[in-house]
Amino acid sequence: MELTKENISQEILLKAFNHMMLAKAMADIYEENRNITKYVHSTSRGHEAIQLATAYQLTKDDWVSPYYRDESLLLGIGFEPYRLMLQLLAKAHDPFSGGRSYYSHPSSLEEDKPKIIHQSSATGMQTIPTTGVAQGIKYIQEFNLQQFENNPVVVCSLGDNSVTEGEVSEAFQFAALHQLPIIFLVQDNEWGISVTKEEARTADAYDFVAGFTGMNRMRVDGTDFVESFEAMKNAVDFVRTERKPMVVCAKTVLIGHHTSGVRREFYRDEADLEKHRAKDPGNILRKRLLEDGVDEDLLKQIEKKARLEAEQAFQKAIEAEDPKPETVENFVFAPTPVTEEKGIRVPDQATEKIVMVDAAIHAIQELMWKHPEALLYGQDVGERIGGVFRETVTLGQKFGNKRVFNTAIQEAYIIGSTVGMSAVGLKPIVEVQFADYIYPGINQLITEISKSSYLSGGKFPVSNIIRVPTGAYGGGGPYHSGSVESILANIKGIKIAYPSNAADFKGLLKAAYYDPNPVIMLEHKGLYWSKVPGTEEAKTIEPDEDYILPFGKANIILEADPAEIEKGRTLVIVTYGMGVYWAKEAAKSFEGRVEIIDLRTLIPLDEKLVFERVKLHGKCIVLTEEQIQNSFAEAFAHRISKNCFQHLDLPVETVGSLNLPAIPINLVLEKEMLPNAEKLREKITEIFIL
């Protein structure tokens, strides 16, 4: 095989030239057919060299996260123009999303190619999930859970202006601290839509990461294929061998539009465009090949053939079928194997009751003994204190600091990394210290986690458990007492549990573990230890190890007297969490006239049982700890009204906290804001009088 002086075969150079001409032909065809390519898209023009140089290094054991301009990278790892165009035109057989997502938003588990987790449009946000992949691979290799032909390398591609995102720094920090096998390929074309580098940043990515101790780095001219190939070969070989992180800062140019929707003529002058066109990677490689003695007619033939291939692929893609309307709801969730209550809830010999916090510890302990792929991390959950509520105490000692460990204050990383961990077959159990601090992780939860199954056509449901201590009591104040279920319930594609007692907690946590979808466990701090007056019944006999409680099964925890129901003198309270105990206390004043339903999970929601019981009683209160206005409770009350309208004696009522922006720390003010049994009793009395 003939080699150039840089030891790159002419075969590879011609392969790269062919791919560059394909990328150019595809971009030209899209531009020539703007009436057909109606969905917003971006192309790789100006970035082809570094992308192909990267693609050619990767094996089927590797993982790569391309960003929306990485069309050439996708060509380089083996996706043909036709398959890419199926996504461009949002066709049914789009291999990535089935017509749900934008062009060059891939996801792939194909055996012969590097694997690709779901890719979103949010700039830089892929760094955390992709670093989670590298974190997972390191864990798998440390515990010898899987064998690989080659040490896997993870590549995360991103544009330079996205490096200014805070979440990118969280990924850099974690990768450097834990020495993960990942390459952050930063493609710097000096533009962030219409924002110039001078407007956006003080330094390029190479200089920016200098402060992340343990992060290796290199610069490369990303328009020169030969230089890029050598650089990426060195980078990939280094990470594959040394298992350490690397940032590659590749200088590129932007020859095309930012996207088809934000065209270059909107914001760029001719001088800037000419400067970028002068560094066209295809022209640079053509010149190199001619200097190496390649016949010019061969290059023209390659270019002509690429255009023909792209045209034929485009016509074929146009003729491909659109998705069927009835498939629009497919892949929101992966099917769960947990559909029935199993195991023994109250073992025969058991007499001693346990608190909720112990139910969680025992459940996780049993799961981790049984499943080496399970691990637990978050702020302060490690061996030293075992969580600020002692909710993970002893687990660090039993399983070691590679399976139970502390993280920095990085809610986005804690939550978003579970995407990558799940993708490689692990089951991450993570914790946000207080519900009030989940907000920095909401972006990852919505943008990456909740959409992953749907937009990957079911290839990448995120199997995780996110534990969130929530709720108010005892003067916790405005930043440690918040309830967040309405915000979370508005996110489509996640499940939410909210147990009110130890047995439910253990059963739901086991169900969450075996569920292939993302699960948030909302855990009321006031119920952890049953120290709040009136919550003694949150303690229960501990179910056995095999007990599993499926999601979406509400529980009638107090029944009304059938004679009172017959007389129309009853009502049903629908609630969850701490509301269960307010309802129980209030019901004592109305013997036989109040039924209480504990929802146990908010998504999925047992509407069937609730509607059935509301129709029976004709009167209903939805009780929550949250502020009422625009809440989960208010929305559910509306659905109850709509579905039970003909059976209602009165409008469905809601009881909850006052509509204030935060919970005051003063106990007198806290009590005034929150619902309680007394306030609920007054509402019940009011309903019965009417």
Side-chain angles (χ1 to χ4, degrees):
M1 185 180 290
E2 184 182 350
L3 300 176
T4 69
K5 60 177 181 273
E6 276 80 12
N7 297 320
I8 304 176
S9 70
Q10 191 175 96
E11 180 184 1
I12 289 175
L13 294 179
L14 288 171
K15 177 183 176 182
F17 184 75
N18 176 58
H19 276 136
M20 288 185 190
M21 294 305 102
L22 265 178
K24 180 180 185 301
M26 291 161 69
D28 289 346
I29 289 168
Y30 302 163
E31 186 68 8
E32 293 161 11
N33 293 272
R34 287 173 61 190
N35 61 322
I36 297 173
T37 55
K38 57 188 176 183
Y39 303 115
V40 173
H41 61 271
S42 181
T43 73
S44 59
R45 292 290 287 121
H47 292 239
E48 300 96 328
I50 189 63
Q51 291 180 20
L52 294 170
T54 301
Y56 296 166
Q57 314 303 323
L58 301 179
T59 73
K60 63 183 179 62
D61 287 330
D62 297 328
W63 291 75
V64 60
S65 287
Y67 83 117
Y68 54 78
R69 202 176 299 287
D70 280 353
E71 169 192 69
S72 287
L73 196 156
L74 294 172
L75 288 169
I77 63 174
F79 286 100
E80 306 86 351
Y82 170 66
R83 299 183 76 199
L84 298 181
M85 291 170 180
L86 288 174
Q87 186 173 56
L88 173 83
L89 301 175
K91 296 294 186 174
H93 296 293
D94 151 28
F96 305 134
S97 71
R100 290 168 170 80
S101 203
Y102 303 94
Y103 186 53
S104 195
H105 283 57
S107 58
S108 176
L109 278 170
E110 295 185 15
E111 282 294 322
D112 61 337
K113 297 179 180 67
K115 309 304 177 282
I116 307 172
I117 57 175
H118 154 68
Q119 299 298 305
S120 76
S121 294
T123 56
M125 296 306 100
Q126 71 273 29
T127 52
I128 286 179
T130 312
T131 304
V133 172
Q135 180 187 348
I137 286 170
K138 181 175 181 178
Y139 180 92
I140 287 168
Q141 292 190 301
E142 283 179 333
F143 287 92
N144 201 28
L145 301 182
Q146 185 180 342
Q147 300 300 313
F148 303 98
E149 287 181 29
N150 304 284
N151 275 338
V153 169
V154 180
V155 175
C156 181
S157 177
L158 61 159
D160 195 83
N161 265 24
S162 68
V163 174
T164 56
E165 288 274 13
E167 291 179 32
V168 175
S169 291
E170 289 194 22
F172 287 166
Q173 179 75 250
F174 198 95
L177 179 64
H178 292 272
Q179 291 293 279
L180 302 182
I182 185 169
I183 296 170
F184 297 98
L185 172 60
V186 181
Q187 300 177 55
D188 183 4
N189 64 26
E190 301 186 350
W191 283 101
I193 308 187
S194 68
V195 178
T196 64
K197 62 177 183 175
E198 291 81 10
E199 291 174 294
R201 47 189 159 97
T202 59
D204 68 7
Y206 181 87
D207 288 331
F208 177 73
V209 299
F212 292 93
T213 303
M215 182 73 80
N216 301 278
R217 56 190 178 136
M218 68 165 65
R219 276 199 178 105
V220 60
D221 180 353
T223 65
D224 186 317
F225 177 77
V226 171
E227 184 179 330
S228 295
F229 187 91
E230 285 292 318
M232 292 311 300
K233 184 177 189 309
N234 291 337
V236 171
D237 287 350
F238 171 82
V239 175
R240 202 178 298 285
T241 303
E242 299 297 325
R243 319 307 284 152
K244 294 178 180 178
M246 166 81 74
V247 167
V248 176
C249 184
K251 297 294 183 182
T252 61
V253 290
L254 182 61
I255 293 175
H257 309 289
H258 167 71
T259 66
S260 58
V262 183
R263 301 176 63 75
R264 59 193 172 208
E265 57 266 25
F266 293 176
Y267 62 96
R268 299 172 69 186
D269 59 30
E270 193 58 32
D272 177 73
L273 289 168
E274 282 303 315
K275 183 183 83 169
H276 283 243
R277 289 177 187 135
K279 296 277 285 180
D280 186 327
N283 292 341
I284 292 171
L285 182 55
R286 180 195 301 271
K287 183 172 181 291
R288 176 56 183 266
L289 286 165
L290 292 172
E291 289 172 354
D292 283 356
V294 174
D295 186 76
E296 187 171 6
D297 286 342
L298 174 61
L299 300 183
K300 289 180 179 177
Q301 189 178 0
I302 289 172
E303 190 169 5
K304 184 177 179 181
K305 184 181 176 186
R307 173 72 193 206
L308 183 61
E309 180 183 345
E311 286 176 346
Q312 291 173 341
F314 187 65
Q315 188 57 43
K316 185 180 176 185
I318 291 171
E319 294 166 0
E321 64 178 338
D322 286 321
K324 291 184 167 50
E326 58 267 26
T327 67
V328 70
E329 293 184 281
N330 292 358
F331 310 118
V332 176
F333 291 114
T336 177
V338 181
T339 56
E340 299 295 332
E341 189 170 0
K342 295 179 180 178
I344 302 172
R345 184 179 174 96
V346 185
D348 289 339
Q349 305 303 317
T351 56
E352 189 175 338
K353 294 183 177 181
I354 62 168
V355 293
M356 271 181 58
V357 76
D358 284 344
I361 293 169
H362 296 172
I364 293 172
Q365 177 177 287
E366 290 165 0
L367 288 164
M368 291 185 72
W369 284 131
K370 193 172 182 178
H371 300 285
E373 68 274 16
L375 70 164
L376 170 69
Y377 57 96
Q379 295 166 34
D380 298 303
V381 302
E383 180 179 348
R384 208 166 288 116
I385 66 169
V388 295
F389 301 102
R390 310 291 279 166
E391 71 280 9
T392 58
V393 73
T394 75
L395 295 176
Q397 297 164 7
K398 290 172 180 172
F399 297 102
N401 62 12
K402 290 182 178 178
R403 293 191 70 192
V404 179
F405 59 90
N406 293 327
T407 66
I409 303 171
Q410 294 184 325
E411 288 84 2
Y413 188 86
I414 291 167
I415 289 173
S417 61
T418 64
V419 175
M421 298 287 274
S422 169
V424 298
L426 302 177
K427 184 74 178 195
I429 304 169
V430 299
E431 182 175 311
V432 173
Q433 200 163 76
F434 290 91
D436 306 79
Y437 301 128
I438 198 171
Y439 302 111
I442 289 287
N443 190 14
Q444 288 290 321
L445 194 58
I446 295 175
T447 305
E448 308 302 330
I449 290 175
S450 72
K451 295 176 174 61
S452 184
S453 179
Y454 186 68
L455 293 182
S456 70
K459 293 189 291 294
F460 288 104
V462 179
S463 185
N464 66 15
I465 299 174
I466 302 171
R467 298 185 62 189
V468 183
T470 189
Y473 77 99
Y479 292 100
H480 299 81
S481 306
S483 294
V484 296
E485 56 263 34
S486 291
I487 289 171
L488 298 175
N490 198 43
I491 302 170
K492 311 305 181 283
I494 63 172
K495 296 185 178 183
I496 303 172
Y498 203 142
S500 67
N501 61 72
D504 285 355
F505 199 166
K506 187 172 184 182
L508 289 169
L509 205 150
K510 291 288 181 78
Y513 185 86
Y514 295 110
D515 196 311
N517 299 289
V519 174
I520 292 177
M521 299 289 299
L522 291 174
E523 308 170 9
H524 199 292
K525 306 187 304 292
L527 300 179
Y528 268 152
W529 297 94
S530 288
K531 290 182 178 179
V532 175
T535 62
E536 184 69 19
E537 290 180 5
K539 298 179 187 177
T540 68
I541 300 294
E542 181 173 7
D544 72 2
E545 183 175 345
D546 296 325
Y547 179 65
I548 298 178
L549 179 61
F551 279 46
K553 304 287 186 182
N555 187 28
I556 300 173
I557 59 172
L558 179 67
E559 294 185 1
D561 185 327
E564 294 286 357
I565 296 173
E566 185 70 25
K567 295 173 186 174
R569 286 164 41 85
T570 60
L571 62 74
V572 58
I573 299 173
V574 179
T575 189
Y576 53 94
M578 186 63 82
V580 167
Y581 300 96
W582 296 325
K584 282 184 174 182
E585 181 61 30
K588 292 175 182 177
S589 300
F590 308 92
E591 188 173 350
R593 299 186 64 188
V594 173
E595 178 169 299
I596 302 171
I597 296 177
D598 182 357
L599 292 173
R600 303 201 284 202
T601 66
L602 308 186
I603 300 176
L605 187 60
D606 193 349
E607 294 184 345
K608 181 175 181 292
L609 176 67
V610 172
F611 295 162
E612 175 187 298
R613 303 309 291 179
V614 171
K615 288 175 183 177
L616 179 66
H617 293 281
K619 293 177 280 293
C620 175
I621 295 173
V622 181
L623 171 64
T624 179
E625 183 171 319
E626 277 196 302
Q627 297 90 327
I628 284 293
Q629 196 167 320
N630 302 321
S631 65
F632 163 82
E634 193 172 62
F636 192 30
H638 164 73
R639 292 207 299 284
I640 295 170
S641 295
K642 183 178 179 182
N643 284 274
C644 305
F645 182 72
Q646 291 181 313
H647 302 267
L648 290 173
D649 302 327
L650 297 165
V652 176
E653 295 279 359
T654 53
V655 173
S657 291
L658 299 179
N659 291 309
L660 305 176
I663 296 170
I665 194 167
N666 179 274
L667 286 169
V668 174
L669 297 178
E670 179 191 77
K671 181 180 179 182
E672 183 64 22
M673 179 183 178
L674 295 175
N676 56 35
E678 183 183 342
K679 294 177 183 178
L680 179 60
R681 195 179 293 115
E682 291 173 2
K683 177 57 69 174
I684 296 171
T685 301
E686 178 186 316
I687 290 173
F688 282 151
I689 290 172
L690 291 174

